[in-house]
Each structure stands twice: as structure tokens, then as C-alpha cells.
Amino acid sequence: MELQSNRSLALLSIVILVLAASCDAGGIAIYWGQNGGEGTLAETCATKNYDFVNIAFLPTFGNGQQPMIDLSGHCNPNVGECTKLSTDIKSCQAKGIKVILSIGGGAGSYYLASADDARQVATYLWNNFLGGQSTTRPLGDAVLDGIDFDIEGGTNLYWDVLAKSLSAYSSMGKKVYLTAAPQCPFPDAWIGNALKTGLFDYVWVQFYNNPPCQYSSSDINNLEAAWKQWTADIPATKIFLGLPAAPAAAGSGFIPADDLTSQVLPSIKNSSKYGGVMLWSKYYDDQTNYSSSIKSDV
């Protein structure tokens, strides 16, 4: 009887450990769309390495401009060619992967001229990429899971209004996820105010191209301090560590996979807001197999 009891306790301990490990497990977010040599969206999701795919980018919008998507090398939106991605998007979603449209980017023509302009952009995004209706949906009839704010230019005004307007559409049925890719210096110069709304589900902070708050040569202190500030001060569901997937993917901030898994991740995974790792980008990940080498540790 005692032996049976001990076995039961041992089994229960194993179950608890497995559950605890799965609770700590993070996901990997990837950016796709800016290099025709990175494979299709369907192939990206078929790797099973990613939990989120950010389609990059919608770099032209706001201030009365006609919004325009730019998926370099993959398709020409001017002739409706990008609607072919609808099937790929649905195949990704069928695998449980969230597919999100990233607006902005490092090079683009975008800014919000007023609160009303922000609301108009939200309406456009809802009707053309989310659950609304339009005859000119650039990616076809697939309904994306949300919008990613990769704002690195323009002005810092009215992004909070855009976030609130997009979030309000969640009441129409399917939840609209909001994500963001701020720079690691805190607070972010562009969307700092928007992030304070508490409406963002996932925030993948760019811990690269910013030496004061990134990892360098076995020195984790700057990254660790910035991580603690982000997780303490930003009311998001989960915070992700944003990294380049290869040395060539950024000017600075690449972390060798061994350093990431042995030094960096153990120091940040104890945060209840830890969500995982974001990588720029699928093209560079293909060169290094970075996501495959870190996935079991994320």
C-alpha cells in the first residue's frame, strides 16, 4: 500500500514539474515579408518554430495617404497579387499560429495627423485586414489576428488613439490582438504613451541597435536592467526579448545562441511577464537556423 502511495506521489511530482515547465515555456515571434528569398508564408509556418508571424510591412498610411502594403519580393499589391497569401494565412492559423500585420517599419511614410486620422486608419485596418468588409482587401479574405505597431518614425502622437480604436473592434466578435516592437531605451520615443494604455497583448522589445540596453560580450547587466524596467512598467500581457537572428540582421545586438540559452534566458525567464523571443527576420533565421537552436530553451 505504501509502495503504491509512493508511486502516486512520484507520478504527481512529475506531472507538476511538466506543468510548471510548460507554464514557463515561451514562444518565438518572427517577422516575414521583407525578403523574397525567405520562403513562403506557408513554409514559414510549416517549420513549427514560430508562434507568431508578423507580416511586414504596411509602411504607408496616415495623414490622408492611400495605405500601401510592401512585401518586398513576395507579391505586387498594385495588381492584387498579394491576395494569394490568404490561403497561406489560413494554413498558419489552422496550426494555431497568430498572423499579425505589422504597420510602420524602419523606412516608410507614415504618421497620424490627428485623433480623427487615427480613427480613420483603424477603420481602414479593420475593413481591409481584420474582420470588416472591403472590396480591396490586399491579402484577400483571410482575417488576420491583429496589428503590430513597429513605429520607428513620424511623430509620437495619436498612437494611443489608434490602439484604443483597434481594440474596440474586439467587441465585434474575434479578438483583435495588439502587439508592438519598441526600442529598448525606456520609454520608447514613438509609442511610449500608447503602451501605457494597457491594451497591448504582446510587446517584443528590440534589444538591438541600442548599445546602452543590449547584451554585449558576456555583459548582461544593461540588458537585464532594461528588461526589468520594461516588465515592471509596461502593462502588457507578455514581454518578448527582440533579437536579430543573425549578425548581419542588425548593426549590433546579436547574441550567440549559446550565450542566449546559458546566460540571458535564465536571467529573464523568472519574470511572470516573460513571453519568449522575437526574431528579425525569417530571411536571417534561414541563414543561421537560430530559432531551431534556441526553441527548446525559449
Side-chain angles (χ1 to χ4, degrees), residues 8-253:
S8 298
L9 284 171
L11 186 60
L12 181 61
S13 298
I14 291 170
V15 170
I16 290 171
L17 284 170
V18 169
L19 287 173
S22 64
C23 288
D24 288 341
I28 298 178
I30 195 79
Y31 278 83
W32 175 93
Q34 283 300 294
N35 192 299
E38 64 195 342
T40 67
L41 183 59
E43 288 166 349
T44 297
C45 294
T47 65
K48 299 182 180 177
N49 282 355
Y50 316 114
D51 299 88
F52 305 87
V53 177
N54 294 304
I55 296 180
F57 290 105
L58 182 83
T60 304
F61 64 90
N63 194 34
Q65 300 176 93
Q66 174 62 40
M68 183 61 67
I69 198 167
D70 177 4
L71 302 178
S72 307
H74 288 285
C75 56
N76 183 354
N78 294 315
V79 293
E81 197 181 30
C82 298
T83 57
K84 68 183 182 183
L85 290 175
S86 190
T87 303
D88 285 16
I89 292 166
K90 291 173 185 175
S91 76
C92 292
Q93 292 170 328
K95 294 177 173 66
I97 298 165
K98 290 183 172 58
V99 184
I100 295 163
L101 175 68
S102 186
I103 64 172
S109 171
Y110 56 86
Y111 74 95
L112 301 173
S114 64
D116 189 53
D117 186 26
R119 286 187 282 268
Q120 288 179 22
V121 169
T123 299
Y124 170 82
L125 293 171
W126 168 254
N127 286 330
N128 287 276
F129 296 99
L130 301 169
Q133 299 289 325
S134 170
T135 57
T136 58
R137 291 174 68 93
L139 303 180
D141 63 356
V143 177
L144 297 183
D145 294 290
I147 302 295
D148 176 57
F149 288 47
D150 184 13
I151 307 306
E152 303 182 41
T155 80
N156 62 359
L157 301 175
Y158 309 114
W159 299 110
D160 56 335
V161 179
L162 180 59
K164 290 172 185 174
S165 300
L166 286 168
S167 182
Y169 282 114
S170 289
S171 64
M172 305 287 280
K174 181 178 177 179
K175 175 177 169 59
V176 176
Y177 285 88
L178 295 184
T179 70
Q183 310 288 312
C184 59
F186 189 92
D188 183 72
W190 305 109
I191 54 172
N193 285 336
L195 292 172
K196 290 178 186 174
T197 62
L199 296 173
F200 286 82
D201 298 284
Y202 308 109
V203 177
W204 12 83
V205 184
Q206 296 184 40
F207 281 87
Y208 53 95
N209 293 336
N210 290 288
C213 50
Q214 70 192 30
Y215 175 91
S216 64
S217 305
S218 299
D219 181 2
I220 197 174
N221 293 330
N222 290 348
L223 183 150
E224 204 169 40
W227 174 265
K228 286 177 179 175
Q229 188 161 32
W230 278 99
T231 53
D233 293 352
I234 292 302
T237 307
K238 294 291 180 183
I239 307 288
F240 284 59
L241 181 72
L243 299 173
S252 63

